[in-house]
Amino acid sequence: MTTAPSLAALLAPASTAPTGPAAWAWLLVAVPALSAALLLLGGRRTDAWGHWVGLAAALLDACLGGAVLAQVLGLPADQRTMDLSLWRWFGVGDLEVRIGLRIDPLSLTFVALVTFVGFLIHLYSVAYMAHDRDRRRFFAYLNLFVAAMLTLVLGDSYVVLFVGWEGVGLASYLLIGFWNTADANAPDALKDASTSNATAAKKAFIMNRVGDVGLLLAMMAMVARVGSVSFTDVLGRASHGESPGWATATGFFLLVAACGKSAQFPLQAWLGDAMAGPTPVSALIHAATMVTAGVYLMVRSGAVFEGAPAAQLAVAVVGAITLVLGAVIGSAKDDMKKVLAASTMSQIGYMMLGAGLGPAGYALAIFHLLTHGFFKAQLFLGAGSVMHAMGDQVNMRRFGGLRSAMTITWATMGIGWLAILGVPPFSGFWSKDRLIEAAFVGEGVKPWILGTIALLGAGLTAFYMSRLFFMIFHGQRRWTTDKDLVGEVHPHESGWLMTLPLIILSVFSAGLGGLLTYNNLFVTWLEPVTGHVEHGEPVLPAAVIMSATLSLVIIGVAVAWWMYVSRPVPVVLQPANPLVEAARKDMYQDAVNEALAMRTGQGLVLATDAVERYVVDGAVEGAAAGTGAVGRLTRRTESGYVRSYAGYMLAGTVLVLIAVLAARF
């Protein structure tokens, strides 16, 4: 495998000044940010039309993003990287930080995904949230989410990226806990749900702050060694063999940040609970915004990892662990949204694995991220359509046989299901299978281990996604009703505002992968960022790897059909073997986190309290008591009588004379 040259565009200042639509790229952030401000500051006065303002902002952003993308596509490859400097933010000593945007194939790939899929999610939300009293505030938060994510991917430095990084954390907190209150006369179950929603939002917020420490430490290391946080300076120095120790430490710090934001092992526990928010939020988080940020950070920082093989290997190992962990958890969940959340964890693991393969895997990781964005948004919105038809129920054991009642939702989710399975010619086949093939490239045992894990993940993906699809739409009807929560259930197809986005996403889920693979189009598009890479040969023939992958997919589908269609599915959850029970409980990740972090923290607090109470307070109180005792003794000498003071003076004089005489003789 050779590179010629690696990461060329990141290692030098941009060669082209923005003109045309690119010069207005700052509007991509400004439009949704201003819309969010208008809707939040306008308050209840904007309730009647606020959602249309949010939708219009998303549409304008998608149009502007498309215009910038079209302009850059028309440029030669060596002119596709442009830096747009906006203003000086602050300076400290020799460090100067400016607010600026980097427009290049990597950032524009995310712009296209975020703005287009984001617009479809906004459109879907108009109907999905139609009866919510806070729909205007919901759209404000959606706009804020989009603005923050675009800041993250368009920033030309790690500080600007960090602003967007924190922005998506804030927006996710607001949206995950969006339903955090219930009416006073609501059923107790709904009140409990609103409390758990707030808890889920806090859990996501806190676990992401753990990851943020990694990004802060990485920036501190950059300033200490390079004296800058701009991509040009930091990645340029890294490419010239900057201290391997510095590169390794910085790489591990960046990996911690990515694990928190992208829900990778060991900071993945928040993702399943994040399903507490409205379903369009889940689609936006999983398809186009928050969890994809970690993959972006890894690929954008590729030059750092090129100089730190240990950190790069750690990225691949984390991805491999997470893709299996997510697949195992997804195989045991009955909440369809949590199955999809575990699926995202697993698929992001594939992307992290690709990013850990070095320049040969960067473009493939982003390629899978792009195709995944479309079919995962489609699957989540399809799940929302099912919830809409089933009184907001999410338990797949209460579904079955919905195909006849929801034909459009069944067909569109079916396309997303085939895409994530990697069935040709659907988009997942072109992106995930290339990642699996790339995992088999290398020397020693590494390609055998990583490649085998990637293959295993493909089989598990086929099983748990087929399980989800079959339990919802096929088999016997298991429609049951909790009248206290949902009333009578009458499954029906959703309206056109919800089904139209599903149909549009289906087109991309079906054809985008093949289109971008033609003539190696997508990999060539990213070359100004990732460099031109000649892939090595895998340790197994490509045809063998593809055949093995498809065979495992077929086996996974067949097993799921046998277990959930050909046999009755019990409505009530049944006891299972220890592995299944562990998967149902997220492999006890909350218990592990409590033991390692919460209990340890509580122990430190108790120890600190004991030291403060018995050592610090004891010393202070002892000093105070001693001072008081001395004061009480001294007080007795202060009688106010002249004869007493004369006696003291006489005694003192006698003592002085005795001391003088003793010294002389």
Side-chain angles (χ1 to χ4, degrees):
M1 180 178 64
T2 60
T3 59
S6 177
L7 306 175
L10 291 178
L11 311 184
S15 59
T16 306
T19 58
W24 297 92
W26 57 272
L27 285 172
L28 287 166
V29 176
V31 168
L34 290 174
S35 173
L38 172 64
L39 297 180
L40 291 174
L41 296 177
R44 292 293 180 186
R45 291 168 293 183
T46 64
D47 277 354
W49 43 267
H51 54 287
W52 296 117
V53 172
L55 179 63
L59 176 59
L60 181 58
D61 237 25
C63 293
L64 180 57
V68 177
L69 177 63
Q71 176 191 354
V72 175
L73 278 170
L75 297 174
D78 60 354
Q79 297 179 22
R80 287 177 174 171
T81 299
M82 297 175 277
D83 284 337
L84 177 61
S85 181
L86 299 176
W87 68 82
R88 180 180 182 274
W89 187 6
F90 65 86
V92 179
D94 294 332
L95 175 66
E96 181 180 78
V97 176
R98 299 188 64 83
I99 299 294
L101 306 181
R102 168 152 289 195
I103 302 165
D104 65 10
L106 178 59
S107 62
L108 286 180
T109 298
F110 277 84
V111 167
L113 177 64
V114 173
T115 58
F116 183 66
V117 173
F119 164 69
L120 293 178
I121 292 172
H122 277 72
L123 179 63
Y124 178 98
S125 299
V126 171
Y128 189 87
M129 301 294 290
H131 302 293
D132 194 288
R133 63 181 182 181
D134 290 319
R135 179 167 61 168
R136 177 262 316 163
R137 180 166 59 88
F138 178 80
F139 273 83
Y141 292 163
L142 283 187
N143 281 176
L144 177 63
F145 212 157
V146 170
M149 187 64 188
L150 292 175
T151 301
L152 191 159
V153 299
L154 283 169
D156 66 349
S157 71
Y158 285 95
V159 168
V160 179
L161 179 151
F162 185 73
V163 172
W165 192 270
E166 293 303 292
V168 296
L170 170 63
S172 66
Y173 168 75
L174 295 172
L175 286 166
I176 292 170
F178 185 77
W179 286 326
N180 58 10
T181 59
D183 294 333
N185 57 352
D188 290 340
L190 288 181
K191 294 178 182 178
D192 293 341
S194 65
T195 302
S196 65
N197 293 351
T199 301
K202 289 185 287 186
K203 182 177 180 179
F205 189 81
I206 292 171
M207 292 198 72
N208 271 270
R209 300 294 73 74
V210 175
D212 293 349
V213 172
L215 187 51
L216 287 170
L217 290 173
M219 289 193 289
M220 292 176 190
M222 295 169 191
V223 173
R225 187 75 184 185
V226 182
S228 173
V229 289
S230 74
F231 293 150
T232 298
D233 295 337
V234 172
L235 301 176
R237 285 282 291 275
S239 70
H240 289 94
E242 191 64 33
S243 168
W246 170 84
T248 300
T250 304
F252 274 105
F253 290 150
L254 292 171
L255 175 58
V256 170
C259 287
K261 196 65 71 180
S262 292
Q264 298 293 283
F265 178 83
L267 298 177
Q268 79 284 3
W270 65 270
L271 192 62
D273 291 346
M275 298 302 95
T279 302
V281 174
S282 303
L284 193 59
I285 289 176
H286 288 251
T289 55
M290 188 162 168
V291 295
T292 64
V295 182
Y296 169 81
L297 181 65
M298 295 296 95
V299 175
R300 178 62 82 186
S301 306
V304 174
F305 290 97
E306 285 297 287
Q312 190 173 73
L313 177 61
V315 175
V317 170
V318 165
I321 292 173
T322 310
L323 76 87
V324 174
L325 181 64
V328 170
I329 292 173
S331 298
K333 293 291 187 180
D334 292 326
D335 182 327
M336 65 177 171
K337 289 181 66 177
K338 291 192 175 183
V339 174
L340 293 175
S343 169
T344 298
M345 186 194 308
S346 181
Q347 296 303 307
I348 297 291
Y350 270 108
M351 301 168 206
M352 293 289 285
L353 172 60
L357 298 177
Y362 294 153
L364 300 182
I366 300 301
F367 185 22
H368 190 51
L369 185 150
L370 181 62
T371 60
H372 172 267
F374 284 94
F375 57 69
K376 185 51 64 68
Q378 179 183 10
L379 289 167
F380 264 112
L381 296 184
S385 180
V386 172
M387 291 173 64
H388 180 73
M390 297 294 289
D392 286 334
Q393 295 183 89
V394 293
N395 187 350
M396 298 185 298
R397 293 184 180 276
R398 294 188 170 192
F399 297 158
L402 287 176
R403 172 185 175 181
S404 58
M406 307 182 70
T407 306
I408 297 176
T409 301
W410 167 77
T412 53
M413 282 194 75
I415 291 173
W417 164 61
L418 293 172
I420 196 172
L421 261 58
V423 174
F426 296 92
S427 60
F429 168 76
W430 305 102
S431 58
K432 188 169 69 176
D433 277 44
R434 293 189 67 182
L435 269 177
I436 295 173
E437 181 181 329
F440 276 102
V441 175
E443 299 178 352
V445 299
K446 174 184 171 182
W448 291 102
I449 295 174
L450 295 181
T452 301
I453 290 174
L455 268 178
L456 175 63
L460 289 173
T461 300
F463 171 74
Y464 72 76
M465 287 304 303
S466 298
R467 175 178 179 268
L468 175 141
F469 188 68
F470 295 154
M471 287 182 74
I472 294 174
F473 294 107
H474 295 271
Q476 63 182 7
R477 296 182 177 183
R478 302 178 300 278
W479 305 347
T480 58
T481 300
D482 186 342
K483 295 182 179 180
D484 291 336
L485 290 177
V486 300
E488 295 294 333
V489 171
H490 301 287
H492 58 281
E493 189 58 85
S494 302
W496 72 271
L497 279 176
M498 294 173 64
T499 56
L500 179 61
L502 289 173
I503 294 170
I504 295 173
L505 289 167
S506 295
V507 175
F508 286 87
S509 296
L512 183 64
L515 175 65
L516 296 182
T517 302
Y518 177 75
N519 203 24
N520 217 24
L521 180 63
F522 187 77
V523 172
T524 303
W525 157 251
L526 283 183
E527 281 183 358
V529 178
T530 61
H532 176 71
V533 179
E534 296 292 340
H535 294 282
E537 291 295 324
V539 294
L540 289 174
V544 172
I545 297 173
M546 182 184 299
S547 299
T549 302
L550 292 177
S551 297
L552 287 173
V553 168
I554 293 171
I555 292 172
V557 173
V559 171
W561 180 273
W562 174 70
M563 292 181 65
Y564 299 103
V565 178
S566 64
R567 301 194 306 173
V569 177
V571 175
V572 179
L573 187 65
Q574 301 296 313
N577 62 65
L579 177 59
V580 174
E581 290 294 338
R584 288 172 177 173
K585 297 178 181 178
D586 299 318
M587 305 306 289
Y588 304 108
Q589 51 193 316
D590 285 331
V592 172
N593 289 339
E594 287 183 9
L596 295 179
M598 190 182 80
R599 302 300 179 194
T600 302
Q602 289 176 336
L604 290 174
V605 169
L606 292 175
T608 303
D609 180 67
V611 170
E612 181 178 353
R613 180 178 302 176
Y614 297 110
V615 178
V616 177
D617 289 354
V620 172
E621 291 172 359
T627 303
V630 172
R632 287 190 294 272
L633 291 173
T634 305
R635 184 177 61 188
R636 296 181 179 181
T637 66
E638 303 298 325
S639 64
Y641 295 111
V642 174
R643 63 177 180 271
S644 297
Y645 298 145
Y648 298 153
M649 294 173 64
L650 177 61
T653 302
V654 171
L655 290 174
V656 171
L657 288 174
I658 292 172
V660 170
L661 291 173
R664 178 171 294 184
F665 297 103

